[in-house]
Amino acid sequence: MLSEILNFNREFVAQESYIPYQTTKYPDRKLAILTCMDTRLTHLLPAAMGLKNGEVKMIKNAGGVVLAPYGGVVRSLLVAVLELGVEEILVIGHTDCGVCGMRPEVMREHLLARGISPETLEAIDREGVVDLDAWFTGFAGEEQAVRDSVAMLRSHPLMPKDVAIHGLIIDSNTGELRPLDLQTEK
């Protein structure tokens, strides 16, 4: 697969196909989006929102959630706000998310099946650097996951209070966006 990608890329660069995508590092719409890494959203989400290259900062992870107040997602959002001019954040969950209902015992089985030794898992559990069961636990519902992430961002001690933070759900099939009625909506 990598050789196919590199061959395509050589042609892409040689034909100057990058020119329509040139922009700055600053998002034109002053917007950051946290969403899921689901493949159905790769083109659907920007198309459903009328977004073009250079208009938003897009942060993706499994489930499109904030897992830790000082993890990579919050760091990325703070960089977007403090360094790149973002004024608004959208947390966008989606229907039929694979992280919904994810179970740690199944993830452990997958790790073992892929050659990760039981001793490695035991060492990680024993060292307590991360609680694997909590880390591999999915959420019960997409809406609540979005609400929890929005609440964590709004109450974060380092997030400037003038940043508008909203929660939405996108239909993975149609692209329909549904804003969540959050009690403390800005």
Side-chain angles (χ1 to χ4, degrees), residues 16-182:
E16 296 183 340
S17 298
Y18 54 83
I19 291 174
Y21 302 100
Q22 289 182 329
T23 186
T24 71
K25 64 184 176 180
Y26 300 97
D28 296 339
R29 292 199 184 185
K30 300 181 185 291
L31 179 67
I33 296 173
L34 169 60
T35 194
C36 186
M37 66 182 194
D38 191 293
T39 56
R40 296 170 289 182
L41 302 181
T42 301
H43 293 289
L44 178 65
L45 182 94
M49 298 179 72
L51 300 175
K52 294 178 180 44
N53 194 53
E55 292 186 328
V56 303
K57 291 296 179 186
M58 187 82 68
I59 298 147
K60 294 184 169 200
N61 68 11
V65 294
V66 179
L67 285 178
Y70 295 96
V73 169
V74 174
R75 179 179 182 264
S76 295
L77 289 170
L78 284 170
V79 168
V81 168
L82 301 172
E83 289 286 322
L84 303 173
V86 163
E87 297 173 353
E88 194 163 356
I89 297 170
L90 304 180
V91 178
I92 305 178
H94 68 96
T95 58
D96 191 35
C97 184
V99 177
C100 186
M102 190 172 73
R103 297 185 359 247
E105 61 274 12
V106 173
M107 296 301 286
R108 284 178 181 269
E109 289 171 14
H110 291 319
L111 289 167
L112 294 169
R114 295 295 298 268
I116 305 301
S117 72
E119 294 79 22
T120 298
L121 296 178
E122 290 167 11
I124 291 170
D125 288 336
R126 187 174 50 253
E127 292 167 10
V129 174
V130 64
D131 178 348
L132 284 179
D133 288 338
W135 199 49
F136 280 133
T137 295
F139 42 76
E142 293 91 356
E143 280 193 26
Q144 191 58 52
V146 169
R147 291 176 194 282
D148 291 347
S149 292
V150 168
M152 185 181 292
L153 291 171
R154 286 182 177 167
S155 66
H156 197 284
L158 300 179
M159 184 62 67
K161 298 305 176 208
D162 62 342
V163 175
I165 303 171
H166 311 283
L168 300 95
I169 299 289
I170 186 169
D171 185 296
S172 300
N173 296 309
T174 68
E176 179 183 11
L177 286 167
R178 184 171 43 86
L180 297 180
D181 182 26
L182 303 167

